[in-house]
Structure formats: C-alpha cells, structure tokens
Amino acid sequence: MLVESPPERSAALAAAVSAVSRRRRAVRVAGLFAAVGMLLLICVASIAVGAKSIPLSDVWHGLFHYAGTDNDVIVHDVRVPRTLLGLLAGVALGLAGAVMQALTRNPLAEPGLLGVNAGASAAVVSAISFLGVTSLNGYVWFAFLGAAVVSALVYVLGGRRGGTPVRLALAGTAATAALYGYVNAVQLLDSAALDRIRFWTVGSLASADMDTVAKVAPFIGVGIVLALALARPLNAMELGEDTARSLGARLARTRVLSMLAVTLLCGGATAACGPIVFVGLMIPHLVRSVTGPDMRWILPYAIVLSPVLLLGADVVGRVVTRPGELQVGIVTALLGGPVFIALVRRKRMAKL
C-alpha cells in the first residue's frame, strides 16, 4: 500500500486550494459580466419606458435624430438625463453603503447613519426658508455643503481621538435626530418651505436635467475613485482594529478617507435626488452573499447592481401609476423592505 509523503500531501492540498480559488474567481467574474448586462438592459428600459408610451422607433429617433418633436424632447431632454442621474445616484448610494458597513463593522449601516442625509436636508430647508432658494440648481450646493459639514462634525465627535465604529455610529445617530428635528420644525413654521421641499424629501429623479448631472458628477466621480482605493484598508479593518494595525493599516487615515468618500458619494446623490433610502442598505448585503466579504469584489459589484435597483424602481414608479408617477424613494422602500427582511431571516446570510 502506497502512502503519500508530507510534501506530496502539501502539494495536493495547495493544488486543490488553487483550483477552488480559480473557480471562485471565475464565478465572480461571470457574475459581474451578468450584472453589467442587467444594467445595460435597465438603462434601455429607463429611456424607452415611462409615464407616456412612446414607440421604440420614436425613442431611437429622439436619441440619434433629434428634431425637436414632443417625443424627441421627452426622450432626449427628460429621460436621458433622468437615466444618467439614476446611474450616478445608484452608484453613489451603493458604494456609500458598502463603505459604511465596512467602516463601522455594522451590517445595518447605511448612508444616513453618519448624518449625511440629515445634513443635506437641513441645509436645503434652510436655503429654501431663509434664503429664498427655489430651484434644484440653486440648493444642490447647499445640500452638498450640509452633508460635508455634518460628516466632518460626526467624525470629530465620534472618531477623532481613539474613536471606534460604535462611537461613530452613535455620533451619527445623534446628529441625525437633532437635524431632522430642526427640519421638521422649520417646515411646520414655514408652510411655503414645506410645499417646496416635500417633493425633494421623498426622493425622486423626476427633476433631473443635464445641468444637475454635470454639477454632481465630479463629486461622485472622485468619491468612486476614493472608495475603490480604500478596498484593501477596509478589508483589514473588518478583521478588527488590532489585526488591522498588525497588517500595517493606518486606521485614522482610513477612517478620514472613508468619511470623505461617503460624503462625496452620498452628499452628491442626496443633493440631486433627495434622501433615497434602502439602496445603500440592501445592495451590499446582496453583493456580499455572492462575493463574500472581500471589498475588492463588493465595491465593483455595488457599482453595477445599485443603479440596477434604483433605475428599476424608477421605471416601476413611472409605469404603475400612469399617467402619473410614484417617486423612486417610495418604490425602493416598498420593494426593498420585504426583500431585506427575507434576507435577514436567511439562515446562511452573509456576514461582515
């Protein structure tokens, strides 16, 4: 009877591990290509389907042979900017949620946890009520500024000196509660502000135009690059602070850059679309169940699948209440709540 020597067993084990790793990588790559295909299909649907039925020939004409007809205007000047903004906002919210869950090591974390949405909302309400700002292009900058200021404040309160993920989460929750109290108070005292902001606070892509897309795209673009660059440090932080330090991770810098990325991503999306919930919470969970805990795969998947969810919800909202519309923020909450509950109840739910 032949018995394998220890070197032979080690070589066989290494070969088996390598084969499993290659197979897993192939599955991840194939899944990412499938997700890209889904995104392309949903983008086509977002341009072709809406509250008004337009023949596909007219959709094609509006895209490539613009002549100024009513259908051309709807396709070229309304649906295309709306789709582009949905792409940007979806990517931003999904990445922001994934970064926050890794940063706080909290599987229920989402972009509102650090007060970004609340800061943007408070700034917009202030601009409308006290400065008379009425257009989206006017208050988009106030929303972004509010998100940035509150994110910096939360970092100073919860993470500057010996901060922990728990302290960051607590500081963000406290800031969110205080700011939304302020928002509600201003709206109750100023009925004109309430009328102007209630559509924005629901979360919608209906007011999209190319000017708004151009304003938020640079901020979201920088946030995307920064988030992708943080994949390895965030992987180390998920192992615990002591382990991350032993691996050479610079925790303070990673926290600061993560906060900056979340501010750029979520601040830009919230400024343009309003506070859209659930996307940043659901998508990282869904992705993690496919890719595992590796942020180098979670982030690219989130970039692709988050706009699939957001644009899909927007298309559903435009179709189910024709000739009216149901805002995308409402649809994401209605669709996402049951799905997220089912995901949480799964026995083999992916963990951080």
Side-chain angles (χ1 to χ4, degrees):
M1 181 176 177
L2 297 176
V3 179
E4 289 185 344
S5 64
E8 290 174 339
R9 288 197 297 270
S10 298
L13 180 60
V17 171
S18 178
V20 171
S21 178
R22 288 196 300 270
R23 191 179 306 114
R24 183 177 298 172
R25 180 180 178 84
V27 170
R28 289 170 172 172
V29 171
L32 190 58
F33 276 107
V36 171
M38 292 173 57
L39 179 59
L40 292 176
L41 288 176
I42 204 65
C43 286
V44 172
S46 179
I47 295 174
V49 179
K52 178 182 179 181
S53 296
I54 298 177
L56 290 179
S57 59
D58 287 0
V59 173
W60 180 269
H61 188 275
L63 287 174
F64 301 105
H65 306 286
Y66 183 84
T69 65
D70 290 344
N71 286 345
D72 285 355
V73 170
I74 291 174
V75 171
H76 187 273
D77 298 337
V78 177
R79 292 186 183 175
V80 169
R82 186 170 184 157
T83 301
L84 292 176
L85 185 59
L87 278 171
L88 287 174
V91 170
L93 294 173
L95 276 181
V99 170
M100 289 187 63
Q101 289 179 14
L103 177 66
T104 62
R105 298 199 300 277
N106 181 351
L108 298 180
E110 55 95 21
L113 183 67
L114 298 187
V116 178
N117 288 349
S121 298
V124 170
V125 169
S126 299
I128 291 175
S129 182
F130 303 125
L131 301 179
V133 178
T134 58
S135 67
L136 176 64
N137 289 333
Y139 64 65
V140 64
W141 299 105
F142 289 94
F144 189 83
L145 178 62
V149 170
V150 173
S151 295
L153 178 63
V154 168
Y155 172 73
V156 171
L157 294 177
R160 185 179 179 184
R161 296 179 179 177
T164 64
V166 174
R167 288 184 61 184
L168 280 174
L170 289 175
T173 301
T176 297
L179 288 169
Y180 275 131
Y182 166 77
V183 169
N184 292 332
V186 172
Q187 290 184 90
L188 288 174
L189 295 173
D190 189 344
S191 59
L194 174 61
D195 291 338
R196 287 193 292 265
I197 200 174
R198 61 184 176 182
F199 186 74
W200 181 86
T201 55
V202 171
S204 174
L205 300 176
S207 300
D209 56 40
M210 292 306 297
D211 192 26
T212 301
V213 172
K215 278 183 169 65
V216 300
F219 298 107
I220 293 177
V222 173
I224 291 171
V225 174
L226 186 56
L228 292 175
L230 290 169
R232 289 183 182 274
L234 289 173
N235 272 342
M237 290 189 68
E238 288 185 356
L239 299 175
E241 294 189 3
D242 293 336
T243 303
R245 288 192 185 94
S246 67
L247 293 174
R250 301 173 64 178
L251 301 186
R253 185 179 70 173
T254 300
R255 288 196 188 99
V256 172
L257 294 178
S258 296
M259 292 285 290
L260 178 59
V262 169
T263 299
L264 291 171
L265 292 168
C266 193
T270 304
C273 308
I276 297 174
V277 298
F278 184 76
V279 176
L281 184 65
M282 171 61 181
I283 290 299
H285 274 285
L286 177 63
V287 169
R288 199 174 289 110
S289 68
V290 176
T291 66
D294 191 344
M295 294 295 291
R296 294 173 299 177
W297 285 100
I298 291 174
L299 296 179
Y301 264 85
I303 286 176
V304 179
L305 289 179
S306 297
V308 170
L309 174 61
L310 187 61
L311 287 174
D314 187 48
V315 171
V316 170
R318 283 184 269 170
V319 172
V320 295
T321 58
R322 281 178 173 173
E325 287 190 15
L326 193 64
Q327 281 71 42
V328 67
I330 297 174
V331 179
T332 56
L334 292 175
L335 293 178
V339 174
F340 184 69
I341 292 172
L343 183 64
V344 170
R345 290 176 60 86
R346 284 177 54 186
K347 293 181 179 180
R348 299 182 60 186
M349 184 184 72
K351 296 180 181 180
L352 287 174

